[in-house]
Amino acid sequence: MGWIFRIWDYDANYVEGVGEMRLDRYSRRLWLGWVVLSLACLAVAPLGAQSGTGQESGSDNGDNGPVLVRKQHPAAGTQRSEGPGGTEAQQSPASVPPTAGGAGSGSGAGGANPGAGDDQGLPEAGGPASDSGEIVVPRLKRKQDAPPAPPAAVVKNPPGLGNLTLQVEVPEVTVDVGVLLEKTHQFVPNLKPVNFAVYEDGQPQKVIRFKRVEAPITALLLCEFASTNYQFVYDMRNAAFSFAQQLRPQDYVALMTFDLRTQIVTDFTQDKTQILSAINSLTIPGFSERNLFDALYEALDRLSVIDGQKYIVLIASGRDTFSRITLDKILQKIRQTPEVTIFSISTGGFLRAMTEGRRGGARMDVNYLQADNQMQSFARMTGGMFFAPRFEAEMPEDFTAINDAIRSKYELVYHPTNSRQDGTFRKIEVQLVDDEGRPMQFQDEKHHTLKYEVIYRNGYRAQQEVE
């Protein structure tokens, strides 16, 4: 600044008594330019200092540091004044932020570090400490990468020990149920799982699977062929023919006869003509003895090695004269043989009707009544049906009912609540109920109640646990 005063002294002329300083034209212009430059420097210097302080405080700690931003007080405004160069905005005194203690609100000696008063006055979570001041705006933190997952634990077996597998067997019971009208023997379709109530030893069971089964059959035709009376042989042949004529190409059927001994006439085949030819060959029987229990026991034993559902069509008088197996043993064998259903047809009905009540025929009547009871027990225990036709014209209708019952059934599967494998016999009961749990009722178009029959096996024997 000394060179300016030297110019002043060099060119100044004082008028005594007035105290007025007069400058020549050149000096006056130089002095005015210096004044304008000085004022501009004084105006720019505070803004530069403030800008430098904000940049340094924002970049001190990298991208994660806070940024200081000025907050305008709501009551503070700006005043505009018209000047020679246009409109100029000036900040009112109320908008000037108060300085913090220490070295000031901007920076210290060099403007690089904030003052000690700023650290105490700025809140940690942002926001001003008073109505006007500086706000701390935190920067967004970068998302840190998730740590890698720990490696999966590897289990090693002891030396010499291979992999072990744990297998748990849950008992599962399958019950085939047929619903037929008593008068017409027609199958009742369109039933739902809620229409079947299953009980095992009096305890309700939950049905887990349900479906209607209509599939090819595997059946054994077991016929009594003994030299007793030709009427029995005649009825047997008619019944066997009626059954064979309703076979389908996918069905497997075998023919087995018995008198004193059993004989396999035809093994399992799908050839319908072969079965008809074998039936036609049964003309002259050999023995008069009828070993029904031995023949049925052998038939059950042979069918036990075949997988799936099997059927026995038993055509006999029902009498047993020379078997080594007793009735109790054959009933026990029936209970122990799973997936076998017996349909029994009694022969000699017309002959018995003609001789019933005659002199000396009372004993024979009792024997055949006992025979019918045995045949009916075989069918009821396995979920089959029993027929005692007296006339030849009844047989096609009876075998039509058998054919419908075999091919159209409802298959119910449940897990018994009694899961013990103790080899005991479990009694099964199936009831037909409506959607509200009441007994099911069927009516015809005239609103007459139709009687029906629910066909199922009466029980099963649980597996014996192997020690």
Side-chain angles (χ1 to χ4, degrees):
M1 299 289 289
W3 63 272
I4 299 176
F5 288 106
R6 284 196 298 270
I7 295 175
W8 179 291
D9 294 339
Y10 184 77
D11 295 328
N13 293 320
Y14 293 93
V15 178
E16 295 181 359
V18 181
E20 180 181 358
M21 181 184 65
R22 294 184 179 180
L23 301 175
D24 57 7
R25 180 179 299 176
Y26 173 79
S27 299
R28 192 164 48 244
R29 292 179 179 177
L30 183 61
W31 184 81
L32 290 175
W34 175 84
V35 171
V36 173
L37 180 62
S38 300
L39 292 176
C41 293
L42 292 176
V44 173
L47 295 177
Q50 180 179 354
S51 174
T53 305
Q55 293 177 357
E56 290 179 3
S57 62
S59 60
D60 240 356
N61 299 324
D63 292 338
N64 295 331
V67 178
L68 297 180
V69 180
R70 291 285 183 179
K71 177 187 176 184
Q72 181 69 33
H73 191 277
T78 57
Q79 298 178 358
R80 297 184 176 272
S81 61
E82 296 293 336
T87 305
E88 181 181 359
Q90 296 181 357
Q91 188 175 14
S92 64
S95 65
V96 178
T99 58
S105 63
S107 59
N113 297 321
D118 290 340
D119 296 339
Q120 298 177 359
L122 296 179
E124 295 180 358
S130 61
D131 291 343
S132 62
E134 297 174 347
I135 303 175
V136 179
V137 182
R139 289 184 179 272
L140 294 177
K141 295 184 178 181
R142 294 180 178 177
K143 294 183 180 180
Q144 298 181 356
D145 296 337
V154 179
V155 180
K156 295 183 179 180
N157 295 334
L161 181 63
N163 296 329
L164 301 178
T165 303
L166 179 62
Q167 183 177 0
V168 179
E169 294 185 359
V170 179
E172 188 175 276
V173 180
T174 302
V175 183
D176 291 334
V177 181
V179 182
L180 302 177
L181 298 178
E182 288 187 358
K183 186 176 181 179
T184 60
H185 297 288
Q186 291 180 351
F187 179 78
V188 179
N190 302 327
L191 295 179
K192 299 177 292 185
V194 295
N195 298 133
F196 295 90
V198 182
Y199 299 89
E200 181 180 300
D201 291 337
Q203 299 297 324
Q205 307 295 320
K206 182 179 179 181
V207 178
I208 60 174
R209 287 198 302 273
F210 170 86
K211 66 178 180 180
R212 178 178 172 178
V213 180
E214 188 170 354
I217 64 174
T218 301
L220 171 62
L221 196 59
L222 182 60
C223 301
E224 177 188 304
F225 185 52
S227 179
T228 53
N229 190 298
Y230 184 74
Q231 188 65 39
F232 292 97
V233 177
Y234 182 78
D235 289 347
M236 180 271 295
R237 284 167 54 92
N238 288 336
F241 274 122
S242 299
F243 173 75
Q245 287 174 356
Q246 298 186 10
L247 293 177
R248 298 180 182 179
Q250 296 82 10
D251 298 335
Y252 281 94
V253 180
L255 177 59
M256 181 177 176
T257 61
F258 68 92
D259 47 13
L260 184 61
R261 58 184 181 180
T262 59
Q263 180 182 359
I264 300 177
V265 181
T266 303
D267 205 345
F268 283 99
T269 179
Q270 290 181 319
D271 190 355
K272 181 178 177 179
T273 58
Q274 185 177 353
I275 298 296
L276 293 173
S277 178
I279 297 173
N280 194 37
S281 65
L282 302 177
T283 55
I284 303 176
F287 298 92
S288 60
E289 302 296 339
R290 292 166 282 187
N291 295 352
L292 173 61
F293 299 158
D294 289 348
L296 185 57
Y297 194 97
E298 182 180 348
L300 292 173
D301 206 22
R302 290 179 180 273
L303 291 179
S304 61
V305 298
I306 300 176
D307 296 333
Q309 182 67 33
K310 289 86 60 178
Y311 302 93
I312 294 179
V313 181
L314 177 59
I315 305 175
S317 63
R319 293 198 59 187
D320 185 274
T321 59
F322 208 70
S323 288
R324 293 172 296 177
I325 303 297
T326 62
L327 179 61
D328 292 339
K329 289 184 178 180
I330 191 60
L331 294 179
Q332 183 180 2
K333 180 65 174 179
I334 292 174
R335 294 191 185 99
Q336 294 177 350
T337 306
E339 298 181 336
V340 174
T341 304
I342 300 176
F343 292 88
S344 55
I345 298 93
S346 177
T347 58
F350 180 76
L351 178 62
R352 291 165 52 186
M354 295 296 293
T355 59
E356 185 176 359
R358 293 188 178 183
R359 180 183 300 179
R363 182 176 180 182
M364 185 174 61
D365 293 342
V366 172
N367 291 337
Y368 281 108
L369 287 177
Q370 181 181 358
D372 289 346
N373 187 29
Q374 293 173 172
M375 297 273 283
Q376 192 171 2
S377 298
F378 299 156
R380 186 180 62 253
M381 291 176 61
T382 58
M385 304 172 68
F386 168 71
F387 297 92
R390 289 192 175 186
F391 304 100
E392 182 180 351
E394 298 180 28
M395 293 184 181
E397 183 180 352
D398 293 343
F399 279 97
T400 300
I402 293 176
N403 189 61
D404 293 340
I406 289 177
R407 302 185 188 279
S408 300
K409 284 188 176 182
Y410 296 101
E411 184 179 277
L412 310 179
V413 181
Y414 69 91
H415 293 308
T417 55
N418 184 8
S419 60
R420 295 193 300 270
Q421 298 182 358
D422 50 6
T424 58
F425 182 78
R426 315 282 176 82
K427 187 177 180 180
I428 297 177
E429 182 181 359
V430 180
Q431 298 179 1
L432 209 60
V433 297
D434 56 13
D435 295 340
E436 298 180 358
R438 296 175 298 185
M440 179 74 76
Q441 293 184 356
F442 298 103
Q443 294 181 350
D444 58 9
E445 57 275 4
K446 296 182 179 180
H447 303 286
H448 294 162
T449 302
L450 299 176
K451 295 183 179 180
Y452 60 89
E453 183 180 6
V454 182
I455 304 171
Y456 57 92
R457 57 173 175 165
N458 65 346
Y460 72 98
R461 184 171 297 277
Q463 294 183 356
Q464 183 69 41
E465 186 175 3
V466 180
E467 298 180 358

